[in-house]
Amino acid sequence: MAKGTRELRRRIKSVKNTRQITKAMKMVAAAKLRRAQEKAEAARPYANKIQEIIASIASGTTAVKHPMLQSRPVKKTGYIVITSDRGLVGGYNANMIRKVLQTIDEKHKSKDEYAIFVIGRKGRDYFRKRNYPVIEEVVGLPETPTFADIKKIASGAVELFATGQIDELYICYNEFRSAISQIPTITRLLPLDAVGGNADRKVNYEYEPSAEEVLAVLLPKYAETLVYSALLDAKASQWGAQMTAMGNATDNASEMIDRYTLEYNRARQAAITQEISEIVAGANAQA
Amino acid sequence: MSTMTVEVVTPERVVYSGEASMVIARGVEGDLGILPNHMPLVTPLKIAPVRIKTEGDKEIKMAVSGGFMEVRGDKVTIIAETAERPEDIDVARAKAAKARAEQRLSERHPDLDVRRAELALQRAMARLDVADNR
């Protein structure tokens, strides 16, 4: 047999192995996606409750003043960028980073005007290598992160805002729309936009010690909660992205195998045809 | 006996949800005992055990940190960063944390984050307190 066939057989085998892996990864990602979605769902009551109380304070008492609710001239901007620790997630990280860079390019002239808090190894490596001002980083988060895991970065960023080192805080993450659609989003976290609530459910609370003090404790918590829910959303997106990427990889592998198999069969047939004609030619020569 | 709905919510999940006849918690201004039909109230909580008395005179204790309590009509919601039932608490770990925090506080290092150590100590003590009464 021609040597081409052996080479083809080897390739088919190798692509089959790859397909097996990508297929498994796809299924694992699908399972993890479901879990991540449940987790994001479970976090919702907490955030809603805090928001509800803040809204009722904001609407109940007139003129509540808190630095976290007030815009001030922006000298320095903070970005919390959420990426994944591992690759094989399609355009998940690349899209996010591109969007962040675009925003930074548009808004800032020098590196003194912004600071980056980065979550995830991919993002960290990228920004570090290119000497972006990364002030805080978290890598190696577990698959289902707990509130404690990101408390440090969240409260750190909120603290920097409170002490006036940054005047704005944005959070950049892949918003989860569906298993096949994740949209890189950049939203402003601080100063908090007027927290709108359903004012019709207004309750006149007694605040202990006072409305202002309750608000002072609640607002940083609320901001941290927003970071946490963004992270959970990003995690769900990550699995969604991986699922899609691995699904595509599996399809491509199948297509490749089909093509190689066809080629292999052709080569095999050609070899047989040639052999037969050689035998026939030999027989004819002897006759 | 009248009851009210009590919910304990953390960022990760709803830890407890059920009927209760009384809730005792430590607010920043002092201990609070909430009975049904309390007036609407919002207060931050100290790091301390929260006690929930259920109908059959049973008592559920929980170690709560970074918490808030909202009382509205017949519903009490405790929102906290962590809330642990006795069975969730790792006693050995809490004891170790307590010893560590105490040691840090007694050494009085110049670059010691006193506040952080104190908070750690409070958390550990609240956990141990809850774990004792299982």
Side-chain angles (χ1 to χ4, degrees):
Chain A
M1 270 201 201
K3 66 172 190 273
T5 53
R6 199 190 302 150
E7 173 69 8
L8 278 170
R9 236 183 351 213
R10 210 177 55 79
R11 264 199 219 164
I12 290 171
K13 214 175 150 194
S14 129
V15 177
K16 266 187 183 158
N17 276 337
T18 311
R19 182 175 65 174
Q20 208 164 29
I21 293 167
T22 55
K23 210 173 187 175
M25 283 180 85
K26 183 193 167 184
M27 288 193 289
V28 170
K32 284 184 176 162
L33 168 64
R34 193 153 2 100
R35 216 175 316 144
Q37 271 178 298
E38 276 165 21
K39 197 88 181 161
E41 203 59 51
R44 216 148 283 159
Y46 182 83
N48 287 349
K49 203 75 213 175
I50 292 189
Q51 191 182 355
E52 205 178 283
I53 297 175
I54 292 176
S56 80
I57 294 177
S59 64
T61 34
T62 46
V64 248
K65 281 211 179 101
H66 192 273
M68 287 175 98
L69 293 170
Q70 278 158 351
S71 302
R72 52 189 189 224
V74 177
K75 288 193 285 292
K76 194 160 181 169
T77 310
Y79 292 93
I80 299 180
V81 183
I82 303 177
T83 59
S84 71
D85 275 341
R86 295 200 192 180
L88 294 178
V89 285
Y92 178 83
N93 292 311
N95 289 343
M96 190 68 251
I97 290 170
R98 193 179 319 124
K99 175 111 185 186
V100 171
L101 292 186
Q102 211 178 351
T103 315
I104 286 175
D105 274 349
E106 276 168 22
K107 290 179 66 173
H108 307 292
K109 284 184 197 71
S110 83
K111 285 185 177 172
D112 303 328
E113 290 177 14
Y114 61 92
I116 298 173
F117 305 79
V118 64
I119 298 175
R121 192 165 284 129
K122 288 280 164 188
R124 180 200 61 180
D125 291 351
Y126 185 93
F127 289 118
R128 274 284 192 78
K129 206 181 271 173
R130 287 161 186 77
N131 282 322
Y132 281 94
V134 175
I135 23 179
E136 186 110 44
E137 58 183 53
V138 175
V139 294
L141 279 181
E143 265 152 29
T144 47
T146 60
F147 191 62
D149 288 325
I150 55 113
K151 174 98 170 98
K152 190 176 131 239
I153 201 165
S155 56
V158 172
E159 179 85 24
L160 283 183
F161 180 85
T163 54
Q165 277 159 283
I166 52 174
D167 306 294
E168 254 185 329
L169 182 63
Y170 284 85
I171 184 149
C172 319
Y173 68 104
N174 277 286
E175 195 192 333
F176 184 82
R177 286 281 166 83
S178 72
I180 49 161
S181 156
Q182 301 87 30
I183 296 149
T185 322
I186 298 182
T187 41
R188 196 177 73 174
L189 199 64
L190 292 172
L192 287 163
D193 292 320
V195 191
N198 25 358
D200 48 316
R201 295 178 58 192
K202 211 170 94 182
V203 184
N204 279 323
Y205 288 111
E206 179 92 333
Y207 299 105
E208 208 179 281
S210 70
E212 277 77 20
E213 270 167 80
V214 170
L215 202 62
V217 189
L218 261 183
L219 284 176
K221 248 185 238 297
Y222 182 53
E224 286 164 21
T225 312
L226 290 180
V227 176
Y228 183 61
S229 43
L231 178 72
L232 292 179
D233 217 46
K235 274 281 170 195
S237 298
Q238 184 194 325
W239 298 123
Q242 178 160 58
M243 207 175 93
T244 321
M246 290 301 109
N248 285 342
T250 309
D251 291 348
N252 286 344
S254 301
E255 206 179 291
M256 225 162 152
I257 290 168
D258 286 351
R259 224 177 33 236
Y260 281 141
T261 313
L262 188 67
E263 223 171 287
Y264 169 75
N265 285 339
R266 273 208 194 118
R268 192 172 52 93
Q269 252 178 350
I272 293 168
T273 315
Q274 198 185 347
E275 241 171 86
I276 291 174
S277 61
E278 272 165 17
I279 292 168
V280 172
N284 281 347
Q286 281 198 337
Chain B
M1 196 161 60
S2 63
T3 57
M4 54 193 168
T5 317
V6 178
E7 239 176 39
V8 181
V9 188
T10 69
E12 276 134 47
R13 64 204 167 99
V14 176
V15 180
Y16 174 83
S17 173
E19 294 291 309
S21 54
M22 188 177 183
V23 176
I24 302 162
R26 185 163 303 162
V28 284
E29 302 271 88
D31 279 16
L32 291 160
I34 308 290
L35 292 167
N37 299 317
H38 193 281
M39 74 178 297
L41 168 86
V42 174
T43 182
L45 297 179
K46 282 190 172 166
I47 300 172
V50 165
R51 282 143 64 199
I52 300 168
K53 287 197 170 153
T54 53
E55 278 165 283
D57 241 4
K58 273 194 275 179
E59 192 180 85
I60 299 163
K61 264 195 169 189
M62 256 179 258
V64 168
S65 79
F68 255 89
M69 182 163 66
E70 184 213 24
V71 183
R72 178 162 73 192
D74 279 338
K75 185 151 194 232
V76 177
T77 314
I78 291 172
I79 315 160
E81 274 166 33
T82 64
E84 291 151 311
R85 308 273 289 261
E87 56 269 27
D88 300 334
I89 292 172
D90 183 343
V91 178
R93 207 178 131 196
K95 275 192 180 140
K98 185 176 173 226
R100 204 165 50 232
E102 277 170 344
Q103 196 203 346
R104 282 220 189 102
L105 285 170
S106 64
E107 277 173 4
R108 288 276 160 206
H109 244 283
D111 52 331
L112 174 78
D113 191 343
V114 178
R115 187 158 163 66
R116 211 181 118 203
E118 272 171 0
L119 287 176
L121 183 61
Q122 281 174 16
R123 273 197 299 272
M125 280 165 67
R127 285 197 181 116
L128 287 175
D129 187 349
V130 169
D132 271 350
N133 285 22
R134 38 173 108 201

